[in-house]
Amino acid sequence: MIPYGRQSISDTDIEHVVSVLRSDFLTQGPLVPAFERSVAGHVGAEFAIAANSATSALHIACLALDVGPGDTVWTTAITFVASANCALYCGANIDFVDINPLTGNMCIERLRAKLEKANKEGKLPKVVIPVHLCGQSCDMASISELAGQFGFRVIEDASHAIGGKYEGSFVGNCKYSDITVFSFHPVKIITTGEGGVATTNSHELSVRMRQFRSHGITSDPNDMEPRPSDEIWNYQQKRLGYNYRLTDIQAALGLSQLARLDEFVAKRHAIAAVYDTEFARMPVVPQKQIPEAYSSYHLYTIRIRESHCGKTQRQIYDGFWREGIAVNLHYIPVYRQPYFERLGFESGYCYEAERYHQEVLSLPMFPTLSEQQQFLVIDVLQKLFKD
Ligand SMILES: *Cc1c(COP(=O)(O)O)cnc(C)c1O
């Protein structure tokens, strides 16, 4: 089976992990802060807070921005469920913005129209969570401008996008957002097994996220509330937090993988370039790339239009699997999931997202995909069109 994505673990990665196992600290040692400094330095943000998943990082990001009951959060219809669940964990309402059909990212015109309508009804969102689908940045300058105009905060769900750039700078520098979140699940660009990081340029948000990550506890004497001086208070719980900590074992892998990030993204671009060239002569539509963005190419997606190629998405999907190529589908519109339907969302809510769901496929894309494997993927697709 050729998967659509997989991790690349080197001997050096393994040695770094093993050396933590032989050291004094398996967790809460020196490597988590070192990993945080490295991520922040790499992407150009002031602060980075590591968590045990991007889902946890999205949750503490929402909490840090005071998302709670009575608030509404908007995200894009085409994303992984975690981009929406983080708002629900906080007791807030969730709503979805339809996509731009060419990029698959949140559509700016639809966002603006929805904001204008919500403004009239007094139902503006507190936070908007754009998602950099496949690793290609959203139009963040426009989203940030709308944030200023309508008074909402922005969390970038950059789970796909570490190593990607927008306007020539790394995604995660938070120039156009309050917080950016990365995922280090093994199918993503770099991995810690499970893990995530939130970056921000706000000291206050970084302190709040750190506390929510670890039970709501502070051990900073300057941050504690007054207590009798004859009592020992070496920590205080100030709010209700969670145990969302990353371990030093994972941070060691993360540090080692981060050193390989540029190499990974370059390899992904080389693979994308081969697909682009071949597909220019075939009846498929790859994701459109905008000039402001340099994708990390977490995913390489194509759309199968029956009117174009005479085959349905289902036929091509099944055909690939029969040939041992495990293509995937990113994503089913979140609001069509049974849980979200029970919250009151109905099919037909986002037209472009639903068309996307019926046409899109994710092809194998990962740094260790060999030339031979990639040409097999292309040959199989050609054959499936002819059959
Ligand atoms: C993978 C992913 C997440 C969740 O990441 P975890 O690290 O697995 O929690 C969130 N959002 C998007 C868009 C993702 O692809």
Side-chain angles (χ1 to χ4, degrees):
M1 268 298 187
I2 305 177
Y4 80 90
R6 67 161 289 147
Q7 71 278 10
S8 158
I9 301 294
S10 67
D11 289 343
T12 313
D13 291 338
I14 292 168
E15 281 159 24
H16 280 109
V17 172
V18 169
S19 72
V20 179
L21 294 173
R22 298 188 199 284
S23 77
D24 291 340
F25 298 98
L26 300 186
T27 191
Q28 296 181 277
L31 290 184
V32 169
F35 181 49
E36 292 176 331
R37 282 192 300 275
S38 283
V39 172
H42 190 89
V43 304
E46 294 273 334
F47 308 98
I49 294 84
N52 58 7
S53 71
T55 304
S56 310
L58 285 165
H59 185 194
I60 59 175
C62 286
L63 290 169
L65 291 173
D66 259 328
V67 172
D71 295 326
T72 300
V73 172
W74 291 2
T75 188
T76 169
I78 294 294
T79 182
F80 185 55
V81 293
S83 318
N85 288 341
C86 55
L88 301 178
Y89 298 154
C90 301
N93 301 312
I94 188 73
D95 200 356
F96 299 92
V97 182
D98 205 351
I99 58 165
N100 174 323
L102 300 176
T103 61
N105 278 333
M106 184 181 281
C107 171
I108 302 300
E109 288 69 40
R110 287 184 173 88
L111 173 61
R112 184 180 291 114
K114 196 174 168 80
L115 286 164
E116 277 163 3
K117 181 160 174 280
N119 194 21
K120 288 199 194 100
E121 296 166 352
K123 289 179 176 169
L124 283 171
K126 186 169 207 168
V127 172
V128 173
I129 307 182
V131 178
H132 304 319
L133 192 69
C134 307
Q136 177 175 226
S137 176
C138 295
D139 174 359
M140 289 309 301
S142 298
I143 291 172
S144 157
E145 202 181 304
L146 290 170
Q149 194 181 335
F150 291 96
F152 58 84
R153 312 292 291 271
V154 179
I155 301 170
E156 295 173 68
D157 182 344
S159 290
H160 298 183
I162 197 162
K165 292 181 184 171
Y166 177 70
E167 293 179 343
S169 306
F170 280 117
V171 169
N173 66 7
C174 298
K175 180 170 172 199
Y176 294 112
S177 65
D178 296 286
I179 298 168
T180 301
V181 169
F182 297 115
S183 171
F184 306 129
H185 182 279
V187 296
K188 307 289 165 69
I189 308 287
I190 61 170
T191 190
T192 58
E194 296 278 358
V197 153
T199 60
T200 183
N201 294 324
S202 157
H203 179 256
E204 190 199 333
L205 290 176
S206 77
V207 170
R208 288 172 63 84
M209 287 194 282
R210 255 178 233 297
Q211 285 186 13
F212 282 120
R213 171 182 68 179
S214 197
H215 308 280
I217 285 174
T218 182
S219 40
D220 174 0
N222 298 316
D223 195 24
M224 291 189 196
E225 293 169 26
R227 288 291 181 271
S229 60
D230 56 342
E231 295 175 2
I232 295 173
W233 282 84
N234 54 358
Y235 71 92
Q236 283 186 355
Q237 182 186 343
K238 299 188 63 185
R239 40 175 65 97
L240 184 63
Y242 300 82
N243 181 352
Y244 282 168
R245 292 188 303 261
L246 193 75
T247 66
D248 272 41
I249 304 168
Q250 294 168 299
L253 182 55
L255 274 164
S256 186
Q257 288 260 301
L258 193 60
R260 305 173 62 203
L261 175 60
D262 294 347
E263 169 208 326
F264 287 158
V265 174
K267 188 72 212 295
R268 287 172 179 274
H269 269 263
I271 292 166
V274 171
Y275 278 141
D276 285 346
T277 308
E278 295 298 321
F279 295 155
R281 306 183 238 125
M282 288 168 67
V284 291
V285 190
Q287 182 191 32
K288 183 191 168 173
Q289 302 296 308
I290 60 167
E292 299 78 22
Y294 175 80
S295 181
S296 62
Y297 274 115
H298 162 51
L299 300 172
Y300 189 95
T301 57
I302 55 171
R303 291 179 71 164
I304 307 292
R305 293 223 169 103
E306 200 179 356
S307 59
H308 241 72
C309 65
K311 291 285 187 288
T312 64
Q313 177 204 41
R314 173 99 242 176
Q315 288 171 316
I316 302 295
Y317 180 93
D318 291 343
F320 268 125
W321 275 80
R322 271 198 310 274
E323 297 294 327
I325 297 167
V327 296
N328 210 320
L329 192 171
H330 300 90
Y331 290 96
I332 301 164
V334 175
Y335 65 83
R336 292 213 48 220
Q337 297 291 347
Y339 179 80
F340 288 83
E341 282 190 354
R342 288 197 282 278
L343 297 180
F345 291 98
E346 287 176 3
S347 92
Y349 189 57
C350 294
Y351 173 81
E352 292 296 349
E354 295 194 15
R355 276 191 59 191
Y356 191 85
H357 171 210
Q358 287 159 27
E359 295 179 356
V360 79
L361 289 180
S362 301
L363 301 184
M365 165 57 92
F366 49 92
T368 55
L369 183 72
S370 70
E371 204 175 310
Q372 194 190 351
Q373 286 174 317
Q374 189 178 10
F375 278 102
L376 179 66
V377 173
I378 295 160
D379 289 346
V380 166
L381 184 57
Q382 241 150 4
K383 195 171 131 275
L384 291 171
F385 283 144
K386 282 203 208 101
D387 280 353

